[in-house]
Amino acid sequence: MKRILLAALGALSLSACAQAPSGAAAQAPAAASAPSMSAPKPKPGTADARAIDAVRQLNPRVEVERIGAAPLPGFREAIVAGQVVYVSDDGRYLFLPGSGGALFDVAAKKNLSEDSMAAMRQQLLKAIPVSERIVFAPAKPKYTVAVFTDVECGYCRKLHSEIAEYNRQGIAIEYLAFPRMGIGSEDYKKMVAVWCAPDRRKALTDAKNDRTPPSRSCKTSVNQQYDIGQRAGLTGTPMILTEGGVQLGGYLPPAKLREALDQLAAEQAQTAGTAGKAPGA
C-alpha cells in the first residue's frame, strides 16, 4: 500500500482525464518553481515533532510548510504539499480531509480508508456480470483488472491503444462503462451504442478512434455501471481496480501496471504469511 501513501502525499502520476494535457497548455514551458518553505524545527519529543516525523515516514520528499494546533482535539494540523493534513498527537494516525479523504496508520503504513473502500468496491463489482463487461484478455491471464472507461477520455484512449501490451504482460482488462459527461449526454449515447453493438470489442475500439458506431438502443447495464462507478469513488477516468477492489490509480503504462500488481500480490502474500504464523513462531 506504500505507493498509495506516497501518491496521497504529493507523488505525481498520470491519473485521470480531468488532468489530461491538451493544446497549448501541454506545450507551455514549466513555470519557475516557488521558493521552498518549511516549518521551523520543533523540539524533539513534542506533538509537533511527532507529526512531522509521521509525514516524513510516509513520504520523506515532501516539506511540512506549517505545523500547529488543530481544531480536532488530539491532533496537530500541518500544511503539506499545499494541502491540510491532521496527525494524531502520538504520531500514529494521519488524516487527509476533503472529497478524497483518507485515514492512514503511519506505523503500519496502511491506508485504513482504502482498505474499507476496497472491500466495498469488490462487492459492487460483483453486481456487474462478466457478460456485461468488454473483455480483452490473454489466453492465461496472471491478473485481471476492471477499468472504468470513457470513449472520449484521452488517457482512456491511450490505455486502449496499448491493450495488446497489457495482454502480453499477462493482464486481462475488463472494461466497464463510465460516460463522464453524465447520463443522457452525447458521450453516454456513444457508450450505449458500443454496448448495444453486435461486436462490442470492435465498437469500443472504433469509438476510441473517432469512428462512432451506429446509434443503437437496447437494454444495457451502462446506467448501472455508471452508478457503481460513482459509488466506488470514481473521480476521473480511467479508473483501474483489482479483483480485490484496490484502486491502482488512473492510467498506468503496461509494465508499470504489471509491476504494481506484482508488488500488491507480494504484499498480500506477506500479510497472509504473517497472519498465519503461530504466536512466538
Side-chain angles (χ1 to χ4, degrees), residues 57-93:
Q57 282 187 58
L58 298 182
N59 190 341
R61 297 189 298 274
V62 299
E63 287 292 334
V64 177
E65 298 168 10
R66 187 164 66 90
I67 188 77
L72 187 64
F75 281 77
R76 305 304 288 170
E77 181 181 86
I79 306 296
V80 183
Q83 59 185 325
V84 177
V85 301
Y86 297 103
V87 184
S88 59
D89 288 345
D90 61 2
R92 176 66 186 269
Y93 298 103

PDB file of all heavy atoms in Angstrom, residues 57-93:
ATOM      1  N   GLN A  57       7.647   9.801   7.367  1.00  0.00           N
ATOM      2  CA  GLN A  57       7.674   8.347   7.255  1.00  0.00           C
ATOM      3  C   GLN A  57       6.920   7.887   6.015  1.00  0.00           C
ATOM      4  O   GLN A  57       7.292   6.901   5.371  1.00  0.00           O
ATOM      5  CB  GLN A  57       7.055   7.703   8.504  1.00  0.00           C
ATOM      6  CG  GLN A  57       7.963   7.678   9.721  1.00  0.00           C
ATOM      7  CD  GLN A  57       7.335   6.873  10.832  1.00  0.00           C
ATOM      8  OE1 GLN A  57       7.025   5.690  10.664  1.00  0.00           O
ATOM      9  NE2 GLN A  57       7.120   7.499  11.981  1.00  0.00           N
ATOM     10  N   LEU A  58       5.844   8.607   5.698  1.00  0.00           N
ATOM     11  CA  LEU A  58       5.045   8.237   4.530  1.00  0.00           C
ATOM     12  C   LEU A  58       5.656   8.750   3.239  1.00  0.00           C
ATOM     13  O   LEU A  58       5.562   8.101   2.197  1.00  0.00           O
ATOM     14  CB  LEU A  58       3.613   8.761   4.675  1.00  0.00           C
ATOM     15  CG  LEU A  58       2.823   8.199   5.864  1.00  0.00           C
ATOM     16  CD1 LEU A  58       1.408   8.750   5.859  1.00  0.00           C
ATOM     17  CD2 LEU A  58       2.786   6.686   5.824  1.00  0.00           C
ATOM     18  N   ASN A  59       6.263   9.919   3.287  1.00  0.00           N
ATOM     19  CA  ASN A  59       6.927  10.470   2.104  1.00  0.00           C
ATOM     20  C   ASN A  59       8.035  11.407   2.543  1.00  0.00           C
ATOM     21  O   ASN A  59       7.783  12.566   2.865  1.00  0.00           O
ATOM     22  CB  ASN A  59       5.922  11.215   1.222  1.00  0.00           C
ATOM     23  CG  ASN A  59       6.528  11.596  -0.122  1.00  0.00           C
ATOM     24  OD1 ASN A  59       7.741  11.633  -0.276  1.00  0.00           O
ATOM     25  ND2 ASN A  59       5.688  11.876  -1.103  1.00  0.00           N
ATOM     26  N   PRO A  60       9.277  10.929   2.562  1.00  0.00           N
ATOM     27  CA  PRO A  60      10.393  11.747   3.038  1.00  0.00           C
ATOM     28  C   PRO A  60      10.730  12.923   2.127  1.00  0.00           C
ATOM     29  O   PRO A  60      11.488  13.809   2.523  1.00  0.00           O
ATOM     30  CB  PRO A  60      11.562  10.744   3.101  1.00  0.00           C
ATOM     31  CG  PRO A  60      11.198   9.661   2.155  1.00  0.00           C
ATOM     32  CD  PRO A  60       9.707   9.560   2.210  1.00  0.00           C
ATOM     33  N   ARG A  61      10.141  12.953   0.926  1.00  0.00           N
ATOM     34  CA  ARG A  61      10.485  14.013  -0.026  1.00  0.00           C
ATOM     35  C   ARG A  61       9.669  15.292   0.156  1.00  0.00           C
ATOM     36  O   ARG A  61      10.020  16.326  -0.389  1.00  0.00           O
ATOM     37  CB  ARG A  61      10.310  13.500  -1.462  1.00  0.00           C
ATOM     38  CG  ARG A  61      11.236  12.341  -1.814  1.00  0.00           C
ATOM     39  CD  ARG A  61      11.178  12.025  -3.298  1.00  0.00           C
ATOM     40  NE  ARG A  61       9.857  11.608  -3.720  1.00  0.00           N
ATOM     41  CZ  ARG A  61       9.420  10.350  -3.647  1.00  0.00           C
ATOM     42  NH1 ARG A  61      10.193   9.413  -3.126  1.00  0.00           N
ATOM     43  NH2 ARG A  61       8.213  10.035  -4.064  1.00  0.00           N
ATOM     44  N   VAL A  62       8.568  15.228   0.873  1.00  0.00           N
ATOM     45  CA  VAL A  62       7.732  16.416   0.989  1.00  0.00           C
ATOM     46  C   VAL A  62       8.181  17.286   2.164  1.00  0.00           C
ATOM     47  O   VAL A  62       8.794  16.809   3.114  1.00  0.00           O
ATOM     48  CB  VAL A  62       6.234  16.050   1.166  1.00  0.00           C
ATOM     49  CG1 VAL A  62       5.719  15.282  -0.021  1.00  0.00           C
ATOM     50  CG2 VAL A  62       5.999  15.282   2.454  1.00  0.00           C
ATOM     51  N   GLU A  63       7.867  18.581   2.065  1.00  0.00           N
ATOM     52  CA  GLU A  63       8.183  19.522   3.129  1.00  0.00           C
ATOM     53  C   GLU A  63       6.920  19.853   3.908  1.00  0.00           C
ATOM     54  O   GLU A  63       5.862  20.074   3.328  1.00  0.00           O
ATOM     55  CB  GLU A  63       8.769  20.813   2.548  1.00  0.00           C
ATOM     56  CG  GLU A  63      10.192  20.691   2.025  1.00  0.00           C
ATOM     57  CD  GLU A  63      11.205  20.465   3.140  1.00  0.00           C
ATOM     58  OE1 GLU A  63      10.930  20.871   4.287  1.00  0.00           O
ATOM     59  OE2 GLU A  63      12.269  19.873   2.859  1.00  0.00           O
ATOM     60  N   VAL A  64       7.039  19.883   5.214  1.00  0.00           N
ATOM     61  CA  VAL A  64       5.945  20.353   6.065  1.00  0.00           C
ATOM     62  C   VAL A  64       6.106  21.861   6.175  1.00  0.00           C
ATOM     63  O   VAL A  64       7.072  22.359   6.754  1.00  0.00           O
ATOM     64  CB  VAL A  64       5.992  19.694   7.452  1.00  0.00           C
ATOM     65  CG1 VAL A  64       4.880  20.249   8.343  1.00  0.00           C
ATOM     66  CG2 VAL A  64       5.871  18.185   7.332  1.00  0.00           C
ATOM     67  N   GLU A  65       5.158  22.583   5.573  1.00  0.00           N
ATOM     68  CA  GLU A  65       5.287  24.035   5.490  1.00  0.00           C
ATOM     69  C   GLU A  65       4.840  24.748   6.757  1.00  0.00           C
ATOM     70  O   GLU A  65       5.334  25.834   7.067  1.00  0.00           O
ATOM     71  CB  GLU A  65       4.476  24.543   4.290  1.00  0.00           C
ATOM     72  CG  GLU A  65       4.987  23.981   2.962  1.00  0.00           C
ATOM     73  CD  GLU A  65       4.043  24.230   1.807  1.00  0.00           C
ATOM     74  OE1 GLU A  65       3.074  25.011   1.993  1.00  0.00           O
ATOM     75  OE2 GLU A  65       4.255  23.646   0.727  1.00  0.00           O
ATOM     76  N   ARG A  66       3.907  24.137   7.463  1.00  0.00           N
ATOM     77  CA  ARG A  66       3.431  24.761   8.707  1.00  0.00           C
ATOM     78  C   ARG A  66       2.895  23.677   9.617  1.00  0.00           C
ATOM     79  O   ARG A  66       2.340  22.689   9.150  1.00  0.00           O
ATOM     80  CB  ARG A  66       2.325  25.784   8.404  1.00  0.00           C
ATOM     81  CG  ARG A  66       1.878  26.603   9.610  1.00  0.00           C
ATOM     82  CD  ARG A  66       1.095  27.820   9.147  1.00  0.00           C
ATOM     83  NE  ARG A  66      -0.168  27.468   8.505  1.00  0.00           N
ATOM     84  CZ  ARG A  66      -1.331  27.329   9.166  1.00  0.00           C
ATOM     85  NH1 ARG A  66      -1.385  27.508  10.462  1.00  0.00           N
ATOM     86  NH2 ARG A  66      -2.426  27.026   8.511  1.00  0.00           N
ATOM     87  N   ILE A  67       3.049  23.847  10.905  1.00  0.00           N
ATOM     88  CA  ILE A  67       2.547  22.896  11.894  1.00  0.00           C
ATOM     89  C   ILE A  67       2.003  23.668  13.080  1.00  0.00           C
ATOM     90  O   ILE A  67       2.564  24.687  13.477  1.00  0.00           O
ATOM     91  CB  ILE A  67       3.669  21.910  12.336  1.00  0.00           C
ATOM     92  CG1 ILE A  67       3.112  20.784  13.213  1.00  0.00           C
ATOM     93  CG2 ILE A  67       4.807  22.640  13.021  1.00  0.00           C
ATOM     94  CD1 ILE A  67       2.386  19.731  12.480  1.00  0.00           C
ATOM     95  N   GLY A  68       0.888  23.217  13.611  1.00  0.00           N
ATOM     96  CA  GLY A  68       0.297  23.929  14.750  1.00  0.00           C
ATOM     97  C   GLY A  68      -0.907  23.196  15.298  1.00  0.00           C
ATOM     98  O   GLY A  68      -1.177  22.044  14.943  1.00  0.00           O
ATOM     99  N   ALA A  69      -1.640  23.871  16.147  1.00  0.00           N
ATOM    100  CA  ALA A  69      -2.821  23.273  16.773  1.00  0.00           C
ATOM    101  C   ALA A  69      -3.901  23.017  15.724  1.00  0.00           C
ATOM    102  O   ALA A  69      -4.040  23.761  14.759  1.00  0.00           O
ATOM    103  CB  ALA A  69      -3.361  24.203  17.852  1.00  0.00           C
ATOM    104  N   ALA A  70      -4.655  21.945  15.935  1.00  0.00           N
ATOM    105  CA  ALA A  70      -5.745  21.584  15.024  1.00  0.00           C
ATOM    106  C   ALA A  70      -7.087  21.841  15.702  1.00  0.00           C
ATOM    107  O   ALA A  70      -7.185  21.823  16.939  1.00  0.00           O
ATOM    108  CB  ALA A  70      -5.632  20.115  14.641  1.00  0.00           C
ATOM    109  N   PRO A  71      -8.136  22.078  14.916  1.00  0.00           N
ATOM    110  CA  PRO A  71      -9.466  22.232  15.501  1.00  0.00           C
ATOM    111  C   PRO A  71     -10.017  20.917  16.036  1.00  0.00           C
ATOM    112  O   PRO A  71     -11.038  20.894  16.715  1.00  0.00           O
ATOM    113  CB  PRO A  71     -10.313  22.755  14.341  1.00  0.00           C
ATOM    114  CG  PRO A  71      -9.603  22.299  13.109  1.00  0.00           C
ATOM    115  CD  PRO A  71      -8.156  22.300  13.456  1.00  0.00           C
ATOM    116  N   LEU A  72      -9.329  19.818  15.724  1.00  0.00           N
ATOM    117  CA  LEU A  72      -9.743  18.485  16.154  1.00  0.00           C
ATOM    118  C   LEU A  72      -8.924  18.083  17.381  1.00  0.00           C
ATOM    119  O   LEU A  72      -7.693  17.969  17.291  1.00  0.00           O
ATOM    120  CB  LEU A  72      -9.506  17.495  15.007  1.00  0.00           C
ATOM    121  CG  LEU A  72     -10.004  16.068  15.153  1.00  0.00           C
ATOM    122  CD1 LEU A  72     -11.524  16.041  15.239  1.00  0.00           C
ATOM    123  CD2 LEU A  72      -9.532  15.226  13.975  1.00  0.00           C
ATOM    124  N   PRO A  73      -9.545  17.902  18.540  1.00  0.00           N
ATOM    125  CA  PRO A  73      -8.786  17.554  19.753  1.00  0.00           C
ATOM    126  C   PRO A  73      -7.956  16.295  19.558  1.00  0.00           C
ATOM    127  O   PRO A  73      -8.404  15.318  18.950  1.00  0.00           O
ATOM    128  CB  PRO A  73      -9.889  17.330  20.803  1.00  0.00           C
ATOM    129  CG  PRO A  73     -11.057  18.109  20.316  1.00  0.00           C
ATOM    130  CD  PRO A  73     -10.990  18.024  18.824  1.00  0.00           C
ATOM    131  N   GLY A  74      -6.726  16.332  20.063  1.00  0.00           N
ATOM    132  CA  GLY A  74      -5.856  15.166  19.962  1.00  0.00           C
ATOM    133  C   GLY A  74      -5.069  15.085  18.679  1.00  0.00           C
ATOM    134  O   GLY A  74      -4.363  14.107  18.443  1.00  0.00           O
ATOM    135  N   PHE A  75      -5.170  16.120  17.829  1.00  0.00           N
ATOM    136  CA  PHE A  75      -4.463  16.135  16.542  1.00  0.00           C
ATOM    137  C   PHE A  75      -3.701  17.442  16.359  1.00  0.00           C
ATOM    138  O   PHE A  75      -4.034  18.464  16.963  1.00  0.00           O
ATOM    139  CB  PHE A  75      -5.453  15.971  15.378  1.00  0.00           C
ATOM    140  CG  PHE A  75      -5.900  14.554  15.151  1.00  0.00           C
ATOM    141  CD1 PHE A  75      -6.849  13.977  15.983  1.00  0.00           C
ATOM    142  CD2 PHE A  75      -5.392  13.796  14.110  1.00  0.00           C
ATOM    143  CE1 PHE A  75      -7.272  12.669  15.791  1.00  0.00           C
ATOM    144  CE2 PHE A  75      -5.805  12.495  13.900  1.00  0.00           C
ATOM    145  CZ  PHE A  75      -6.747  11.924  14.744  1.00  0.00           C
ATOM    146  N   ARG A  76      -2.662  17.397  15.519  1.00  0.00           N
ATOM    147  CA  ARG A  76      -1.949  18.579  15.072  1.00  0.00           C
ATOM    148  C   ARG A  76      -2.311  18.822  13.614  1.00  0.00           C
ATOM    149  O   ARG A  76      -2.634  17.886  12.874  1.00  0.00           O
ATOM    150  CB  ARG A  76      -0.425  18.399  15.192  1.00  0.00           C
ATOM    151  CG  ARG A  76       0.062  18.007  16.569  1.00  0.00           C
ATOM    152  CD  ARG A  76      -0.378  18.977  17.644  1.00  0.00           C
ATOM    153  NE  ARG A  76       0.349  20.244  17.564  1.00  0.00           N
ATOM    154  CZ  ARG A  76      -0.001  21.321  18.270  1.00  0.00           C
ATOM    155  NH1 ARG A  76      -1.076  21.290  19.071  1.00  0.00           N
ATOM    156  NH2 ARG A  76       0.713  22.424  18.172  1.00  0.00           N
ATOM    157  N   GLU A  77      -2.285  20.077  13.199  1.00  0.00           N
ATOM    158  CA  GLU A  77      -2.608  20.437  11.824  1.00  0.00           C
ATOM    159  C   GLU A  77      -1.330  20.817  11.093  1.00  0.00           C
ATOM    160  O   GLU A  77      -0.526  21.599  11.598  1.00  0.00           O
ATOM    161  CB  GLU A  77      -3.574  21.613  11.804  1.00  0.00           C
ATOM    162  CG  GLU A  77      -3.997  22.055  10.399  1.00  0.00           C
ATOM    163  CD  GLU A  77      -4.947  23.239  10.444  1.00  0.00           C
ATOM    164  OE1 GLU A  77      -4.447  24.385  10.496  1.00  0.00           O
ATOM    165  OE2 GLU A  77      -6.175  23.020  10.467  1.00  0.00           O
ATOM    166  N   ALA A  78      -1.136  20.263   9.906  1.00  0.00           N
ATOM    167  CA  ALA A  78       0.049  20.562   9.117  1.00  0.00           C
ATOM    168  C   ALA A  78      -0.352  20.926   7.691  1.00  0.00           C
ATOM    169  O   ALA A  78      -1.361  20.438   7.173  1.00  0.00           O
ATOM    170  CB  ALA A  78       0.995  19.362   9.099  1.00  0.00           C
ATOM    171  N   ILE A  79       0.444  21.786   7.076  1.00  0.00           N
ATOM    172  CA  ILE A  79       0.288  22.085   5.653  1.00  0.00           C
ATOM    173  C   ILE A  79       1.402  21.349   4.934  1.00  0.00           C
ATOM    174  O   ILE A  79       2.588  21.585   5.188  1.00  0.00           O
ATOM    175  CB  ILE A  79       0.389  23.597   5.364  1.00  0.00           C
ATOM    176  CG1 ILE A  79      -0.603  24.388   6.224  1.00  0.00           C
ATOM    177  CG2 ILE A  79       0.158  23.864   3.881  1.00  0.00           C
ATOM    178  CD1 ILE A  79      -2.054  24.077   5.950  1.00  0.00           C
ATOM    179  N   VAL A  80       1.024  20.429   4.045  1.00  0.00           N
ATOM    180  CA  VAL A  80       1.984  19.575   3.354  1.00  0.00           C
ATOM    181  C   VAL A  80       1.662  19.565   1.868  1.00  0.00           C
ATOM    182  O   VAL A  80       0.541  19.219   1.478  1.00  0.00           O
ATOM    183  CB  VAL A  80       1.929  18.124   3.896  1.00  0.00           C
ATOM    184  CG1 VAL A  80       2.981  17.268   3.209  1.00  0.00           C
ATOM    185  CG2 VAL A  80       2.117  18.096   5.402  1.00  0.00           C
ATOM    186  N   ALA A  81       2.639  19.945   1.047  1.00  0.00           N
ATOM    187  CA  ALA A  81       2.450  19.940  -0.414  1.00  0.00           C
ATOM    188  C   ALA A  81       1.167  20.665  -0.809  1.00  0.00           C
ATOM    189  O   ALA A  81       0.429  20.225  -1.687  1.00  0.00           O
ATOM    190  CB  ALA A  81       2.444  18.508  -0.940  1.00  0.00           C
ATOM    191  N   GLY A  82       0.887  21.762  -0.125  1.00  0.00           N
ATOM    192  CA  GLY A  82      -0.266  22.577  -0.468  1.00  0.00           C
ATOM    193  C   GLY A  82      -1.593  22.064   0.031  1.00  0.00           C
ATOM    194  O   GLY A  82      -2.642  22.564  -0.361  1.00  0.00           O
ATOM    195  N   GLN A  83      -1.605  21.069   0.911  1.00  0.00           N
ATOM    196  CA  GLN A  83      -2.860  20.571   1.452  1.00  0.00           C
ATOM    197  C   GLN A  83      -2.775  20.398   2.964  1.00  0.00           C
ATOM    198  O   GLN A  83      -1.693  20.216   3.517  1.00  0.00           O
ATOM    199  CB  GLN A  83      -3.260  19.254   0.788  1.00  0.00           C
ATOM    200  CG  GLN A  83      -2.257  18.126   0.929  1.00  0.00           C
ATOM    201  CD  GLN A  83      -2.661  16.896   0.136  1.00  0.00           C
ATOM    202  OE1 GLN A  83      -3.837  16.574   0.003  1.00  0.00           O
ATOM    203  NE2 GLN A  83      -1.691  16.196  -0.415  1.00  0.00           N
ATOM    204  N   VAL A  84      -3.930  20.484   3.589  1.00  0.00           N
ATOM    205  CA  VAL A  84      -4.005  20.339   5.042  1.00  0.00           C
ATOM    206  C   VAL A  84      -4.066  18.863   5.405  1.00  0.00           C
ATOM    207  O   VAL A  84      -4.815  18.091   4.793  1.00  0.00           O
ATOM    208  CB  VAL A  84      -5.262  21.054   5.593  1.00  0.00           C
ATOM    209  CG1 VAL A  84      -5.379  20.833   7.100  1.00  0.00           C
ATOM    210  CG2 VAL A  84      -5.203  22.541   5.289  1.00  0.00           C
ATOM    211  N   VAL A  85      -3.274  18.466   6.390  1.00  0.00           N
ATOM    212  CA  VAL A  85      -3.350  17.111   6.929  1.00  0.00           C
ATOM    213  C   VAL A  85      -3.412  17.212   8.443  1.00  0.00           C
ATOM    214  O   VAL A  85      -2.930  18.184   9.037  1.00  0.00           O
ATOM    215  CB  VAL A  85      -2.152  16.221   6.505  1.00  0.00           C
ATOM    216  CG1 VAL A  85      -2.059  16.115   4.998  1.00  0.00           C
ATOM    217  CG2 VAL A  85      -0.843  16.748   7.075  1.00  0.00           C
ATOM    218  N   TYR A  86      -4.020  16.214   9.065  1.00  0.00           N
ATOM    219  CA  TYR A  86      -4.108  16.164  10.525  1.00  0.00           C
ATOM    220  C   TYR A  86      -3.396  14.907  11.009  1.00  0.00           C
ATOM    221  O   TYR A  86      -3.594  13.824  10.470  1.00  0.00           O
ATOM    222  CB  TYR A  86      -5.574  16.151  10.972  1.00  0.00           C
ATOM    223  CG  TYR A  86      -6.319  17.410  10.569  1.00  0.00           C
ATOM    224  CD1 TYR A  86      -7.206  17.405   9.486  1.00  0.00           C
ATOM    225  CD2 TYR A  86      -6.121  18.609  11.251  1.00  0.00           C
ATOM    226  CE1 TYR A  86      -7.874  18.561   9.104  1.00  0.00           C
ATOM    227  CE2 TYR A  86      -6.782  19.771  10.875  1.00  0.00           C
ATOM    228  CZ  TYR A  86      -7.650  19.736   9.800  1.00  0.00           C
ATOM    229  OH  TYR A  86      -8.301  20.892   9.418  1.00  0.00           O
ATOM    230  N   VAL A  87      -2.554  15.078  12.024  1.00  0.00           N
ATOM    231  CA  VAL A  87      -1.777  13.967  12.571  1.00  0.00           C
ATOM    232  C   VAL A  87      -2.073  13.856  14.064  1.00  0.00           C
ATOM    233  O   VAL A  87      -2.059  14.853  14.785  1.00  0.00           O
ATOM    234  CB  VAL A  87      -0.262  14.183  12.367  1.00  0.00           C
ATOM    235  CG1 VAL A  87       0.513  12.959  12.852  1.00  0.00           C
ATOM    236  CG2 VAL A  87       0.050  14.469  10.901  1.00  0.00           C
ATOM    237  N   SER A  88      -2.359  12.631  14.513  1.00  0.00           N
ATOM    238  CA  SER A  88      -2.652  12.434  15.939  1.00  0.00           C
ATOM    239  C   SER A  88      -1.424  12.816  16.768  1.00  0.00           C
ATOM    240  O   SER A  88      -0.284  12.698  16.314  1.00  0.00           O
ATOM    241  CB  SER A  88      -3.055  10.982  16.215  1.00  0.00           C
ATOM    242  OG  SER A  88      -2.027  10.088  15.840  1.00  0.00           O
ATOM    243  N   ASP A  89      -1.671  13.287  17.979  1.00  0.00           N
ATOM    244  CA  ASP A  89      -0.586  13.778  18.835  1.00  0.00           C
ATOM    245  C   ASP A  89       0.499  12.740  19.076  1.00  0.00           C
ATOM    246  O   ASP A  89       1.664  13.083  19.310  1.00  0.00           O
ATOM    247  CB  ASP A  89      -1.152  14.254  20.187  1.00  0.00           C
ATOM    248  CG  ASP A  89      -1.929  15.560  20.055  1.00  0.00           C
ATOM    249  OD1 ASP A  89      -1.791  16.230  19.014  1.00  0.00           O
ATOM    250  OD2 ASP A  89      -2.681  15.905  20.998  1.00  0.00           O
ATOM    251  N   ASP A  90       0.132  11.447  19.015  1.00  0.00           N
ATOM    252  CA  ASP A  90       1.142  10.405  19.217  1.00  0.00           C
ATOM    253  C   ASP A  90       1.855  10.031  17.917  1.00  0.00           C
ATOM    254  O   ASP A  90       2.746   9.180  17.906  1.00  0.00           O
ATOM    255  CB  ASP A  90       0.526   9.162  19.856  1.00  0.00           C
ATOM    256  CG  ASP A  90      -0.569   8.526  18.986  1.00  0.00           C
ATOM    257  OD1 ASP A  90      -0.815   9.026  17.863  1.00  0.00           O
ATOM    258  OD2 ASP A  90      -1.172   7.537  19.440  1.00  0.00           O
ATOM    259  N   GLY A  91       1.459  10.660  16.783  1.00  0.00           N
ATOM    260  CA  GLY A  91       2.105  10.393  15.506  1.00  0.00           C
ATOM    261  C   GLY A  91       1.667   9.109  14.834  1.00  0.00           C
ATOM    262  O   GLY A  91       2.233   8.728  13.812  1.00  0.00           O
ATOM    263  N   ARG A  92       0.650   8.448  15.364  1.00  0.00           N
ATOM    264  CA  ARG A  92       0.244   7.141  14.828  1.00  0.00           C
ATOM    265  C   ARG A  92      -0.672   7.257  13.612  1.00  0.00           C
ATOM    266  O   ARG A  92      -0.568   6.474  12.665  1.00  0.00           O
ATOM    267  CB  ARG A  92      -0.457   6.331  15.930  1.00  0.00           C
ATOM    268  CG  ARG A  92      -1.014   4.977  15.486  1.00  0.00           C
ATOM    269  CD  ARG A  92       0.081   4.008  15.087  1.00  0.00           C
ATOM    270  NE  ARG A  92      -0.433   2.764  14.542  1.00  0.00           N
ATOM    271  CZ  ARG A  92      -0.696   1.672  15.258  1.00  0.00           C
ATOM    272  NH1 ARG A  92      -0.489   1.675  16.569  1.00  0.00           N
ATOM    273  NH2 ARG A  92      -1.148   0.591  14.675  1.00  0.00           N
ATOM    274  N   TYR A  93      -1.574   8.221  13.622  1.00  0.00           N
ATOM    275  CA  TYR A  93      -2.562   8.323  12.545  1.00  0.00           C
ATOM    276  C   TYR A  93      -2.458   9.663  11.827  1.00  0.00           C
ATOM    277  O   TYR A  93      -2.234  10.711  12.445  1.00  0.00           O
ATOM    278  CB  TYR A  93      -3.984   8.159  13.102  1.00  0.00           C
ATOM    279  CG  TYR A  93      -4.202   6.813  13.739  1.00  0.00           C
ATOM    280  CD1 TYR A  93      -4.204   6.684  15.132  1.00  0.00           C
ATOM    281  CD2 TYR A  93      -4.379   5.671  12.966  1.00  0.00           C
ATOM    282  CE1 TYR A  93      -4.394   5.439  15.729  1.00  0.00           C
ATOM    283  CE2 TYR A  93      -4.565   4.429  13.549  1.00  0.00           C
ATOM    284  CZ  TYR A  93      -4.559   4.318  14.927  1.00  0.00           C
ATOM    285  OH  TYR A  93      -4.738   3.089  15.514  1.00  0.00           O
TER     286      TYR A  93
END
